[in-house]
Amino acid sequence: MIKTRFAPSPTGVLHVGGARTALFCWLYSKKMKGKFVLRIEDTDLERSTPESVQAILDAMQWLDLDYDEGPYYQTQRFARYQQAIRQLVEQGDAYHCECSRERLDSLREQQMAAKEKPRYDGRCRDMGLKPGAGKSMVVRFRNPEQGVVSFKDHVKGEVNVDNRELDDLIIERSDGSPTYNLSVVVDDMEMDITHVLRGDDHVNNTSRQVNILRALNAPVPEYAHVPMILGDDGKRLSKRHGAVGVMEYFEAGYLPAALLNYLVRLGWSHGDQEIFTRDEMIELFTLDGLNKSASSFNTDKLNWINQQHMMSAPLGDIVSLVKQRLDRLGISHSGALDFASVVDLYRQRVSTINELVDSILYFFQDFAEYDAKAAAKAFKPTALQPLQRLSARFAALDNWSAADIHAVIEAITVELDVGMGKVGQPLRVAVTGGSFSPPIDQTVELLGRERCLTRLERAIAHVSAE
Ligand code: GLU
């Protein structure tokens, strides 16, 4: 059975790059009917925080990336790491090293001056040092001196690294804590991870991890190191590009399924298909489809994909998200309004839930003022007569329906011998405050007679005062 893991370090919120890695791991496990593990790599005690752990869990939940095991916390597994370190020392695959920081610094300087690659020179390798009271020592892995370490990478092909390129890595710090490469290896081994999918910023660690796995007699997983996400200037995506935590996309009104769809395309493709549901992604996902080159984050495309999902999602889902947002804004939305129709009218015209809510606010509360441009254009003195007639007819209309409202508007254009725009547009600005809305007869119907008449009075007063 295949098993993947997402192993974030909780040193901040979950960004899009991390979310994409999580998605690929999740997708592959689902596709292969395997298991997906969440592992929190919190060994960096200074930089890890409980808030960051919570932010990661929240984001995983919002994106609905469910895991079969975990979350495991590395800080709860120190005893296990120490056991593995002892095993390596006993086997002769690791050794204690007493080199001081000063010695290592000056070694590094000499090597740099001689234009050599900085590396540990192996001074303590064969000294058989034993830890003891008062001695500050680290433990180093005895990397093989010869041969080539190779691993299978589904993005980069087979990767071969000459062992002479690798030095003896510290696996236990002088305070007894394990280093990243050691704890990852022990966990991948004990959690039976078969496929490691992660960002290619880790590719240089992999050859070292493979050597440690071999020394521990553990099977070597298959790897897929996915290229980084870039900003639109070709540099690695960062806050500078407006790259934000995943939950900010929730705040901004994106749908989780759309964000996942966007992220999957940012590093994977299936022909030229752009829109995928979660089930389609699972069905179609392959490691072969992972892109070899980096892709750039593009907010316009994210908006477009979000819009596609807004249109295809069950209307009830969009309605409840809109209601949630109105609640969060403290805007009352109870009453006779045909909510589903309003949302359906608008969802085709906006990219996000927030835009949708902004554009339907006039259904729930009176707007503070007219959009200045719209009012300047529509509220000329000639608008007075159409507005007055609309008001009178609407008050007397028997059947408050879009069709009858339409008939009223049309009759007034005929009576006054003017075009549709001369009646419809003042009406639109009067009832919505702006110059944009879905078909005016439907808008007026949904808004309801009472609100409509009050707003017509307000517009008549406005035009009269000009
Ligand atoms: N904890 C590492 C990180 O957040 C990932 C380790 C891994 O995937 O092997 O970058």
Side-chain angles (χ1 to χ4, degrees):
M1 187 188 54
I2 79 108
K3 212 167 168 191
T4 60
R5 87 306 195 267
F6 175 50
S9 303
T11 53
V13 294
L14 185 64
H15 288 106
V16 286
R20 189 188 61 166
T21 302
L23 171 62
F24 288 156
C25 297
W26 176 84
L27 276 177
Y28 194 56
S29 72
K30 291 276 181 226
K31 159 92 184 190
M32 304 301 287
K33 305 212 176 347
K35 290 225 153 98
F36 173 47
V37 175
L38 176 63
R39 181 168 83 217
I40 305 291
E41 303 209 322
D42 54 352
T43 51
D44 184 340
L45 300 177
E46 266 162 37
R47 295 176 60 226
S48 302
T49 64
E51 293 75 30
S52 303
V53 172
Q54 195 53 49
I56 291 167
L57 298 179
D58 289 347
M60 295 291 284
Q61 190 178 13
W62 179 60
L63 293 172
D64 201 9
L65 298 177
D66 54 314
Y67 30 92
D68 304 288
E69 280 180 34
Y72 293 112
Y73 293 87
Q74 287 193 323
T75 42
Q76 292 171 9
R77 297 173 47 78
F78 271 30
R80 186 57 201 96
Y81 306 138
Q82 266 136 18
Q83 202 182 332
I85 292 165
R86 270 201 306 277
Q87 180 192 335
L88 289 168
V89 171
E90 276 160 26
Q91 285 174 195
D93 286 314
Y95 60 90
H96 285 87
C97 165
E98 62 175 9
C99 291
S100 64
R101 174 107 318 270
E102 294 72 44
R103 171 169 194 277
L104 296 174
D105 285 347
S106 82
L107 178 66
R108 164 181 284 267
E109 271 169 35
Q110 284 166 28
Q111 288 169 332
M112 304 270 270
K115 302 226 175 331
E116 288 167 17
K117 192 167 148 190
R119 66 205 314 274
Y120 180 60
D121 62 355
R123 173 184 173 274
C124 300
R125 208 167 208 256
D126 298 311
M127 286 176 42
L129 294 172
K130 294 264 177 297
K135 295 191 208 160
S136 170
M137 290 204 209
V138 299
V139 177
R140 288 183 185 270
F141 176 67
R142 187 188 299 273
N143 198 78
E145 282 172 296
Q146 262 129 40
V148 170
V149 43
S150 58
F151 59 89
K152 177 167 178 185
D153 191 294
H154 285 273
V155 177
K156 300 185 184 296
E158 190 180 283
V159 178
N160 297 299
V161 177
D162 193 323
N163 271 318
R164 281 171 299 198
E165 295 285 318
L166 306 173
D167 62 357
D168 290 350
L169 182 80
I170 296 177
I171 54 175
E172 183 182 275
R173 300 187 190 88
S174 55
D175 64 2
S177 62
T179 57
Y180 160 71
N181 279 299
L182 187 278
S183 46
V184 163
V185 158
V186 172
D187 286 346
D188 285 345
M189 171 176 86
E190 300 219 325
M191 294 170 192
D192 296 318
I193 302 303
T194 60
H195 290 74
V196 172
L197 279 58
R198 60 186 170 195
D200 67 3
D201 49 336
H202 282 289
V203 75
N204 289 334
N205 288 319
T206 306
S207 41
R208 297 174 175 286
Q209 292 178 9
V210 168
N211 279 334
I212 303 176
L213 281 165
R214 293 237 157 86
L216 288 169
N217 221 358
V220 176
E222 292 178 28
Y223 294 87
H225 288 94
V226 293
M228 298 280 95
I229 301 176
L230 306 177
D232 43 19
D233 57 358
K235 304 227 168 74
R236 190 180 160 167
L237 189 68
S238 71
K239 287 224 178 76
R240 229 167 0 99
H241 302 100
V244 291
V246 164
M247 291 311 276
E248 288 186 44
Y249 291 95
F250 160 68
E251 296 292 341
Y254 290 90
L255 304 179
L259 185 59
L260 291 179
N261 184 163
Y262 178 67
L263 290 177
V264 84
R265 285 288 297 109
L266 204 58
W268 174 82
S269 50
H270 176 74
D272 48 18
Q273 184 170 342
E274 291 290 0
I275 302 299
F276 298 86
T277 63
R278 289 163 65 94
D279 287 345
E280 273 175 314
M281 282 188 221
I282 293 172
E283 190 191 319
L284 299 171
F285 187 75
T286 57
L287 297 180
D288 288 347
L290 290 170
N291 296 346
K292 310 245 178 289
S293 50
S295 356
S296 303
F297 197 88
N298 179 328
T299 306
D300 291 340
K301 182 158 175 201
L302 169 62
N303 288 342
W304 178 77
I305 288 184
N306 204 61
Q307 184 183 38
Q308 303 301 308
H309 282 260
M310 297 257 300
M311 290 197 289
S312 61
L315 183 56
D317 292 2
I318 304 294
V319 168
S320 70
L321 288 169
V322 166
K323 287 187 175 171
Q324 256 175 42
R325 172 128 184 104
L326 288 167
D327 287 339
R328 290 183 65 192
L329 294 173
I331 294 167
S332 154
H333 53 81
S334 53
L337 182 72
D338 178 355
F339 222 105
S341 304
V342 169
V343 168
D344 204 22
L345 264 184
Y346 272 88
R347 67 168 164 170
Q348 312 165 26
R349 298 160 189 261
V350 295
S351 306
T352 63
I353 296 290
N354 290 15
E355 272 182 39
L356 202 162
V357 167
D358 287 349
S359 53
I360 65 174
L361 275 183
Y362 66 83
F363 281 102
F364 309 101
Q365 55 185 23
D366 289 332
F367 40 88
E369 51 196 38
Y370 297 108
D371 174 76
K373 263 201 199 142
K377 211 160 161 216
F379 289 164
K380 303 253 167 62
T382 49
L384 194 56
Q385 221 183 2
L387 287 170
Q388 283 166 336
R389 288 193 187 203
L390 285 165
S391 176
R393 307 286 166 84
F394 283 168
L397 198 60
D398 286 335
N399 186 16
W400 191 255
S401 70
D404 288 25
I405 290 163
H406 186 82
V408 167
I409 300 170
E410 211 162 54
I412 295 174
T413 63
V414 175
E415 288 162 23
L416 299 177
D417 193 21
V418 292
M420 199 50 152
K422 290 273 187 282
V423 182
Q425 205 54 13
L427 174 60
R428 176 173 276 121
V429 181
V431 299
T432 71
S435 55
F436 159 86
S437 84
I440 189 63
D441 44 7
Q442 294 177 44
T443 309
V444 165
E445 182 198 323
L446 288 168
L447 196 57
R449 189 188 322 243
E450 210 181 312
R451 276 219 147 115
C452 200
L453 290 178
T454 318
R455 291 187 190 173
L456 277 168
E457 287 318 310
R458 178 179 171 188
I460 289 165
H462 182 93
V463 177
S464 310
E466 289 286 289

